[in-house]
Amino acid sequence: QMLINSESAKNGWMMPNVRGLGGITTMKTHDLTQNGMADIIVGRDDGELQVFTVDETGEPTQIFTKSVHESIQEVEVGKVCTSSFDEVVLATYSGKVISFTTEPTPDSSSQAFPAAPRVVEKVLTEGAAPGADGGGVAAEEKKPTEEKKMKRGLSSLFGLGKKKDKDKGEKAEKDKFVSGLVLDRDTEAAAGAGGAGAAGGEEQERSDPREKEKKAVTLRNEISVLKQKVGEAKSSFQNISKESVPVSTRSKVKGWLLLEAEHSCYKFTLESEMPIDIVALQSAMPLTLLDPGTSVPSISEADPLNGNLFLATLRVQGTSNRVQVQIMTKEGQYGILNAFVVTRVAPKVVHLVESKILPLSLHQPIPLDATDKQGAVPYCEVRMQGTFGMGQMHAWVQSCFPNVPGKVPEGDTVKYNFESCYSGTRVSVEFGRGEAIFRSSNLSTLAIIKDVISKEAATSKTRVDVKAPVINEASVPYVLQLLHPKLEKLLKLKERVK
């Protein structure tokens, strides 16, 4: 949460990602629980749907979570199937549309949002609408024989009062069905109570079995027609493919790398509109496959002569549109990770997904005020001068570190701070027109920055003079002290394996 006014902005509450869920792709606010506060609906790229309710003090609490096992592209909230209960409708990357309802069900375990029905139950018992100040009818004034009158109705919403005046010759006891809902219309008093329902009156809705069966039959017929059309399109495509070779497909495949700072590795995710059959991973830089996920891996030996320092094949079990693996990189080594994705369509078509791995791939940006303690630790400095501009140096910094903003910040001087999720050392970057300064307690990091920028400057034919580095002798034991616990952990793990 961010609290912003005309003069300043400050942080509010923060929900930590303790389960290591994917990034947020969409977010909506809606009062699902009817407590007068907007609830927060969150959709993530790993298929996780979360609903947070906010109490009177402004603190959020998670009341619902569900995984659809596909990237959620969009979420909307509103009344879809019924006019009295809200639904959360989401769309996934493969085109699926899934709805979660707040409507009470006989089986409480299948209830999507358990908080909302409790509020509705409270309204029916106490006779006060959510957010109303004593506007409802007192519960003690309701008699057991008037149970039908105390339920909320839809007659006024659908204009049933006018309809009744026209149908005086028909049976007064006949139930009225509207969109699968049956409304009580026993007496004139019930109709009057229904007319007042729009202003906090009383009316009940219940599902009609015959209407539900009608809808189910209609949906089955539509599905069977769609299956027939799909079968005809497949047979037509197969007839064409006998004479021609397909070179493209309408289905899409996307992939992205996400740094997991806690494990000092990358989570590589591939997602397709069609089920994935086989994935081949190839790179000219050395990588390590830590966790293949739900797929079955087959790792080949490195072939430096053909530029294959990393080659692995993943066979996906079952029907899945998503593959996720963990990959460990080595800083100083950079290049392209190629993923060849074969989907389960006929004929077979291969999709190529390229992901760039940067030289300092295990570094992540940190706030500028987080490096105030940099003066308490020893650090070394590398200074560069030349004919480069701010935009050019900004592009070179982007080629070294991940998650650098694409636009150059305003001002004569730009500052960035990064932290290694593996060693814990920090890097301070400060540059302007014609000059750049890099500070860090890790000499290896400064050496990598110097090599990469020198190579980029030579490619663009830009003059860059690297001054003699300022080396603090105390930085070496400081870095070794940071690495010592990790080395001890690896040695103990090695002993256990033996």
Side-chain angles (χ1 to χ4, degrees), residues 27-93:
M27 183 184 297
K28 288 291 185 295
T29 57
H30 191 84
D31 188 8
L32 289 171
T33 55
Q34 300 181 13
N35 62 353
M37 302 286 288
D39 303 316
I40 304 171
I41 301 99
V42 176
R44 298 180 179 270
D45 61 13
D46 60 352
E48 194 79 13
L49 176 68
Q50 296 175 296
V51 178
F52 298 91
T53 185
V54 182
D55 57 19
E56 296 177 354
T57 62
E59 291 297 324
T61 303
Q62 180 175 294
I63 61 173
F64 177 78
T65 179
K66 180 71 175 179
S67 178
V68 297
H69 306 292
E70 288 187 33
S71 175
I72 299 175
Q73 301 298 299
E74 189 59 55
V75 169
E76 290 293 343
V77 186
K79 295 176 174 61
V80 182
C81 296
T82 63
S83 59
S84 299
F85 300 99
D86 291 319
E87 295 183 38
V88 177
V89 183
L90 61 88
T92 66
Y93 183 72

Side-chain angles (χ1 to χ4, degrees), residues 276-304:
I276 299 176
D277 189 15
I278 299 174
V279 176
L281 302 177
Q282 182 273 336
S283 180
M285 56 180 293
L287 300 172
T288 303
L289 182 64
L290 297 178
D291 183 8
T294 57
S295 57
V296 180
S298 176
I299 302 176
S300 304
E301 294 183 0
D303 186 8

Side-chain angles (χ1 to χ4, degrees), residues 173-396:
E173 302 295 328
K174 183 178 179 180
D175 291 330
K176 179 66 179 179
F177 294 96
V178 179
S179 301
L181 303 177
V182 58
L183 307 178
D184 283 328
R185 303 188 55 191
D186 293 336
T187 61
E188 293 289 336
E202 310 150 2
E203 199 171 339
Q204 179 191 12
E205 66 171 23
R206 57 181 181 270
S207 299
D208 177 47
R210 290 173 292 177
E211 290 294 322
K212 282 188 174 182
E213 185 61 29
K214 274 186 187 177
K215 287 185 178 181
V217 172
T218 304
L219 288 175
R220 292 192 193 100
N221 294 337
E222 290 180 1
I223 291 173
S224 108
V225 172
L226 290 175
K227 285 183 177 180
Q228 184 178 357
K229 289 182 179 180
V230 171
E232 292 175 357
K234 283 184 177 180
S235 62
S236 175
F237 181 74
Q238 289 175 356
N239 293 333
I240 296 175
S241 63
K242 291 179 181 179
E243 301 177 357
S244 307
V245 177
V247 294
S248 64
T249 179
R250 292 183 179 180
S251 63
K252 297 179 181 179
V253 177
K254 67 175 181 179
W256 63 92
L257 285 167
L258 180 64
L259 177 62
E260 287 192 326
E262 296 180 358
H263 304 287
S264 301
C265 66
Y266 272 90
K267 183 185 291 183
F268 184 47
T269 306
L270 292 166
E271 194 162 19
S272 170
E273 295 179 351
M274 303 297 292
I276 299 176
D277 189 15
I278 299 174
V279 176
L281 302 177
Q282 182 273 336
S283 180
M285 56 180 293
L287 300 172
T288 303
L289 182 64
L290 297 178
D291 183 8
T294 57
S295 57
V296 180
S298 176
I299 302 176
S300 304
E301 294 183 0
D303 186 8
L305 296 178
N306 295 319
N308 294 326
L309 294 181
F310 173 72
L311 186 60
T313 304
L314 307 174
R315 181 171 291 277
V316 181
Q317 294 181 325
T319 303
S320 176
N321 296 54
R322 184 183 179 91
V323 173
Q324 194 171 74
V325 298
Q326 283 185 338
I327 295 176
M328 185 174 66
T329 62
K330 182 180 179 181
E331 289 200 328
Q333 302 285 343
Y334 55 97
I336 302 294
L337 172 61
N338 298 311
F340 301 91
V341 182
V342 181
T343 56
R344 294 188 178 183
V345 294
K348 297 294 184 182
V349 178
V350 178
H351 299 263
L352 174 60
V353 178
E354 296 181 343
S355 301
K356 191 175 183 180
I357 298 177
L358 300 177
L360 297 173
S361 56
L362 297 181
H363 281 71
Q364 58 183 349
I366 57 175
L368 294 175
D369 56 1
T371 57
D372 291 341
K373 64 179 183 180
Q374 185 78 348
V377 300
Y379 65 90
C380 306
E381 178 181 296
V382 172
R383 186 182 298 266
M384 300 181 183
Q385 295 178 344
T387 58
F388 53 85
M390 291 185 62
Q392 203 168 15
M393 177 54 70
H394 187 267
W396 293 343

